[in-house]
Amino acid sequence: MEKVNIAEKLSKFSDHWNPRIIGELNGQQVKAAKLKGEFFFHHHEHEDEMFLVVKGTLKMEFKDHTEVVKPGEFIIVPRGVEHKPVADEEVELLLFEPASTLNTGNIQNERTKNLLEKI
Amino acid sequence: MEKVNIAEKLSKFSDHWNPRIIGELNGQQVKAAKLKGEFFFHHHEHEDEMFLVVKGTLKMEFKDHTEVVKPGEFIIVPRGVEHKPVADEEVELLLFEPASTLNTGNIQNERTKNLLEKI
C-alpha cells in the first residue's frame, strides 16, 4: 500500500487522449489523462464515467447542453449518454471507470486505445 | 449531468468521521469526509477503499508501516487490510468505494454510520 502522487504520475507522459492506469480497485480503474482539442461524441453502453479535473478547463458537451468543469470539480457521465470532451487549452484529469471501459466507447476508430499502460 | 464542486460540497458540513455521498457510479460511491483525530484499526472484508486527500495531511497507519498522504495524493487500501486513518490536524478528503462499504468495516460501534446523507 503505497500512496500515489497525481502530479508525479501526470509528469510521466505528455501525449493527449491516451489515459494511463494509476490505480485499481473493486474492478474499477483510476486513470490519469491529458486532453487537448476536441474528441467526438460517443457513449459507453455499460459504464458510467467520472472525470475529475486537476488542471485546465474541461468542456463536456452533451446533446442538449455543455458543462464547464474546472480544477476541483468532477462530472459523472451515466452509461448511454452521448458526450464529447473538449479542451481548448490542455486539461489534466483523473478518470474513474470500470476496467472494461474503452476510451471511445461505442465507436472504434484510430483514436481508440485498446491497451492502456500502467504507470 | 451536472458537475460537482468538491469544495462547495465540503463547505456544507463540519462534523468529523461522517462521510457524505456526493456521487454514484457503477455501484460505487464518491464520498466527501472531514477527519480529525484518530480512528481505529479495522478492515473491509469485500471492499477496496480509496482515500484522495484534498486538504491537510492524512496518516494511514498499517500494521507494519504508515503512509503519509497529502493534497493531490491518494492511497488505495485493498480489502482485508487492517488500516487506521489518523488526522493530527483536520483533513478533507474524497472516498471512492462500493456503495456497500461501512465506514467502520468489520467493526460495529458508536462511530459506525449506517446511513449516509447525500448532499
Side-chain angles (χ1 to χ4, degrees):
Chain A
M1 283 76 61
E2 286 187 6
K3 71 170 178 185
V4 172
N5 184 292
I6 297 165
E8 191 260 325
K9 293 294 187 191
L10 282 161
S11 75
K12 291 190 170 181
F13 63 96
S14 57
D15 54 336
H16 299 126
W17 309 106
N18 187 8
R20 265 63 166 192
I21 299 164
I22 64 169
E24 299 192 79
L25 72 165
N26 306 302
Q28 315 290 307
Q29 289 178 332
V30 187
K31 300 169 184 171
K34 296 184 179 183
L35 316 183
K36 191 168 181 187
E38 298 205 357
F39 215 54
F40 51 85
F41 272 107
H42 66 283
H43 69 271
H44 304 272
E45 205 67 59
H46 304 293
E47 296 105 349
D48 312 321
E49 203 172 25
M50 175 169 165
F51 299 76
L52 174 66
V53 174
V54 174
K55 196 183 110 182
T57 299
L58 173 69
K59 290 197 285 190
M60 186 63 77
E61 296 185 9
F62 298 104
K63 289 295 189 179
D64 60 349
H65 78 296
T66 297
E67 284 286 312
V68 176
V69 191
K70 301 201 172 201
E73 299 180 334
F74 67 81
I75 188 164
I76 294 172
V77 180
R79 61 196 69 188
V81 173
E82 293 286 322
H83 60 287
K84 174 185 167 181
V86 175
D88 294 331
E89 304 291 330
E90 184 177 71
V91 169
E92 297 181 349
L93 51 72
L94 296 188
L95 292 160
F96 298 89
E97 53 195 20
S100 58
T101 310
L102 203 60
N103 65 323
T104 54
N106 61 313
I107 294 169
Q108 187 93 16
N109 63 17
E110 76 287 351
R111 298 180 78 171
T112 302
K113 303 290 183 189
N114 287 296
L115 201 61
L116 302 185
E117 189 188 0
K118 291 186 195 184
I119 61 172
Chain B
M1 282 78 58
E2 285 187 9
K3 70 170 178 185
V4 172
N5 184 293
I6 296 165
E8 191 261 325
K9 294 293 187 191
L10 282 161
S11 75
K12 291 190 169 181
F13 64 95
S14 57
D15 55 336
H16 299 127
W17 308 106
N18 188 7
R20 266 65 167 190
I21 300 164
I22 64 169
E24 299 192 79
L25 71 164
N26 305 303
Q28 316 290 307
Q29 289 178 332
V30 186
K31 300 169 184 171
K34 296 183 179 184
L35 315 184
K36 192 169 180 185
E38 298 205 358
F39 215 54
F40 51 85
F41 272 106
H42 66 284
H43 69 272
H44 304 273
E45 205 66 60
H46 303 293
E47 296 105 348
D48 312 321
E49 203 172 24
M50 176 170 164
F51 299 77
L52 174 67
V53 174
V54 173
K55 196 183 107 179
T57 299
L58 173 68
K59 289 197 284 189
M60 186 63 77
E61 296 185 10
F62 299 103
K63 291 293 188 180
D64 60 350
H65 78 295
T66 297
E67 284 285 314
V68 177
V69 190
K70 302 202 171 200
E73 298 180 335
F74 67 82
I75 188 163
I76 294 172
V77 180
R79 60 196 69 186
V81 173
E82 292 287 322
H83 59 286
K84 174 184 167 181
V86 175
D88 294 330
E89 305 291 329
E90 185 178 69
V91 170
E92 298 181 348
L93 52 72
L94 296 188
L95 291 160
F96 298 87
E97 53 195 20
S100 57
T101 310
L102 203 61
N103 65 323
T104 54
N106 60 313
I107 295 169
Q108 187 93 16
N109 63 19
E110 76 286 352
R111 299 180 78 171
T112 301
K113 303 291 183 189
N114 287 297
L115 201 62
L116 301 185
E117 189 188 359
K118 290 185 197 187
I119 62 172

